[in-house]
Amino acid sequence: MIEVRQLQKSFGSLDVLKQITFDVTPGEVVAVIGPSGSGKSTMLRSLVHLEEVTGGSISICGKMLVENGSYTSSTAIREITSTMGMVFQHFNLFPHLSVRDNLELAPRTLKRESVQQITAKSRELLAKVGLADKADVYPSTLSGGQKQRVAIARAMMLSPDILLFDEPTSALDPELTGEVLRVIRQLAEENMTMIIVTHEMSFARDVADRVFFMDNGEIAESGTPDEIFGNPKLERTRTFLMRE
């Protein structure tokens, strides 16, 4: 589903990503952990062209987004990135739109389905995330956990092949984190392909098929949750996990 080769990203003389290489297979859940400033969010955002990379290649579902640092056409970029949904740390809901309208804005703009199909889908997804009764309220009336569940439902509206999560619970109070993680766990059980940047170590251990430990712009170590959390090879991985 995702092939990344020798990915590089620099801001001036600062190398944020250094020769990142990995694959993600269909239905796989990859958790990305590591200290702040290690490049986790930059790597994730580069997959959906929210960050332009300096070098390397990204292929999504067999189509080249960027090859050896050269991007495909803007039309192809839109087509490729539309196969992915992204959930951000701070929800990014439109405050002037109702919950239902937040979900339906993108599909109505793209006009791929009828209005009736879009409305039925938004109703179904709000029920899926436990918010069927919140369709007509505004984001300001919701808790942080509810807002993030709306954001997940919105990311699902275009039926993405891949979901990307950038620290989906870091802006939430601990008691609200569980309700969001339950939704993500349900998606994992349904074999949704996901990359989740997270600081929730127990969740990563429980849900992920594979864990990447990033440090200093590199994937320093990767393996199964048992390998990374139970028997990490590198001292810097061990040190990070002891602090968490």
Side-chain angles (χ1 to χ4, degrees), residues 56-124:
S57 303
I58 301 171
S59 171
I60 306 292
C61 299
K63 296 180 179 176
M64 295 303 299
L65 177 68
V66 56
E67 189 166 13
N68 298 323
S70 296
Y71 279 89
T72 185
S73 69
S74 56
T75 303
I77 288 172
R78 280 194 298 274
E79 183 184 321
I80 292 165
T81 56
S82 72
T83 64
M84 293 177 279
M86 183 148 180
V87 178
F88 299 89
Q89 180 176 341
H90 293 291
F91 328 129
N92 289 10
L93 299 178
F94 295 109
H96 63 292
L97 297 180
S98 69
V99 164
R100 186 203 312 275
D101 288 338
N102 263 280
L103 264 67
E104 296 181 4
L105 178 63
R108 286 189 179 199
T109 303
L110 292 170
K111 297 178 180 173
R112 292 180 189 165
E113 298 174 303
S114 70
V115 172
Q116 291 82 2
Q117 286 173 311
I118 291 168
T119 301
K121 190 165 192 177
S122 69
R123 193 180 298 125
E124 175 192 329

Side-chain angles (χ1 to χ4, degrees), residues 29 31-34 167 169 174 177-178 181-182 184-185 196-211 224-226 228-230 240-241 243-244:
V29 179
V32 184
I33 64 171
E167 298 276 14
T169 61
T177 294
L181 296 182
R182 274 194 297 276
I184 300 174
R185 185 177 282 108
I196 307 166
V197 171
T198 184
H199 64 286
E200 299 283 344
M201 297 302 131
S202 60
F203 176 71
R205 185 168 198 160
D206 184 31
V207 170
D209 299 301
R210 221 159 18 121
V211 178
T224 66
D226 283 349
I228 297 297
F229 294 108
F240 171 77
L241 292 171
R243 286 203 307 266
E244 288 298 306

Side-chain angles (χ1 to χ4, degrees), residues 127-193:
K128 185 185 182 89
V129 299
L131 294 171
D133 60 333
K134 301 294 185 183
D136 297 313
V137 308
Y138 287 84
S140 60
T141 68
L142 301 177
S143 70
Q146 289 171 329
K147 288 176 186 174
Q148 194 59 293
R149 284 186 282 154
V150 170
I152 293 170
R154 182 177 64 177
M156 295 290 291
M157 278 296 290
L158 295 175
S159 302
D161 298 312
I162 298 161
L163 274 181
L164 307 176
F165 293 86
D166 190 8
E167 298 276 14
T169 61
S170 65
L172 303 180
D173 295 333
E175 64 268 24
L176 300 177
T177 294
E179 64 190 53
V180 174
L181 296 182
R182 274 194 297 276
V183 172
I184 300 174
R185 185 177 282 108
Q186 182 184 349
L187 292 169
E189 289 167 358
E190 294 168 3
N191 292 319
M192 171 61 73
T193 306

